[in-house]
Amino acid sequence: MKLRYLLQRLIMILTGFLFAVYAAYNVFVIVRDSRRGLSNEGKLISGAVALMFALLAVFVWTGNTKTKNIRWLKVRRVSLIIALGVIILLKLRMVVKVIDYLDFSQAHTILYGAAYLMTVAALLLLFIYFVFILKKLPFHPRAAVALPTVAMILFLLSLAIETILFFVYGIGMEANVIRTIVIRPVFYLGFVGLCVYFLMPSVPVQTKSEKAVQTESEKEGQ
């Protein structure tokens, strides 16, 4: 159990770190690209993305904490719902541009559309899981496993497609080569880590007093 707990903590730390990096990257975009004429809309979108991914980082880093503070638990829940919801809406705003870009005679446009569609679908699955399934896990055992698993596969497929687009067709999703190579994996692997986090069973952490009581009980039972 201790090994499983350490593994879960490692995944939480790494996932939160990836989300924090993506949040910091969007702050960097605002600061750096403002000098190059970044529009007010671009600044607003990058700022919103930075805030939402910061919320994701905090949510993951504070997970599996042993607390009975209902208000804090509600704050964490609402924060994740808002973060996922806003990220989904920001993705959906691109749907018209993606449709206009599609040309079924060009393979790279089809791949781009597929990556976009799978990313949105994966985000929606995580949103549905957290809002409707997580609080009723005993009643939806199959969905509790299926939704994060399918979402994780879709994120990985999207990353694989973007890799093909970049290395085969020379199409990057970010402003330059370095940003594409570094940041796109950060985006997808962060959500892959969140899926894994949801799939891992919670491992309660015992306080010193609880450990003492358990040890005493074991001695009495011998």
Side-chain angles (χ1 to χ4, degrees), residues 89-109:
L89 291 176
L90 289 173
K91 277 289 183 182
L92 289 175
R93 92 185 198 284
M94 299 279 296
V95 66
V96 175
K97 293 181 179 179
V98 173
I99 293 174
D100 289 340
Y101 182 71
L102 275 176
D103 181 354
F104 290 100
S105 64
Q106 301 291 329
H108 66 274
T109 68

Side-chain angles (χ1 to χ4, degrees), residues 17-31 46 49-51 53-54 183 186:
F17 174 75
L18 290 171
F19 284 143
V21 168
Y22 198 78
Y25 164 72
N26 278 275
V27 174
F28 166 80
V29 168
I30 296 173
V31 175
S46 293
V49 172
L51 179 58
F53 275 83
I183 293 301
V186 167

Side-chain angles (χ1 to χ4, degrees), residues 25 28 32-33 174-183:
Y25 164 72
F28 166 80
R32 178 72 179 273
D33 292 1
E174 299 295 333
N176 57 47
V177 173
I178 295 177
R179 291 190 191 183
T180 299
I181 292 176
V182 175
I183 293 301

Side-chain angles (χ1 to χ4, degrees), residues 122-134:
L123 289 169
L124 285 170
L125 287 175
L126 282 184
F127 186 84
I128 292 170
Y129 167 82
F130 188 75
V131 175
F132 300 105
I133 304 298
L134 186 59

Side-chain angles (χ1 to χ4, degrees), residues 8 21 29 32-33 40 42 44 48 65 68 119 125 146 171 180 192 197 205 209 211 217:
Q8 187 179 49
V21 168
V29 168
R32 178 72 179 273
D33 292 1
N40 290 331
L44 181 62
T65 54
K68 296 181 180 179
T119 301
L125 287 175
I171 299 173
T180 299
V192 168
Y197 167 70
V205 182
S209 59
K211 288 180 180 179
S217 300

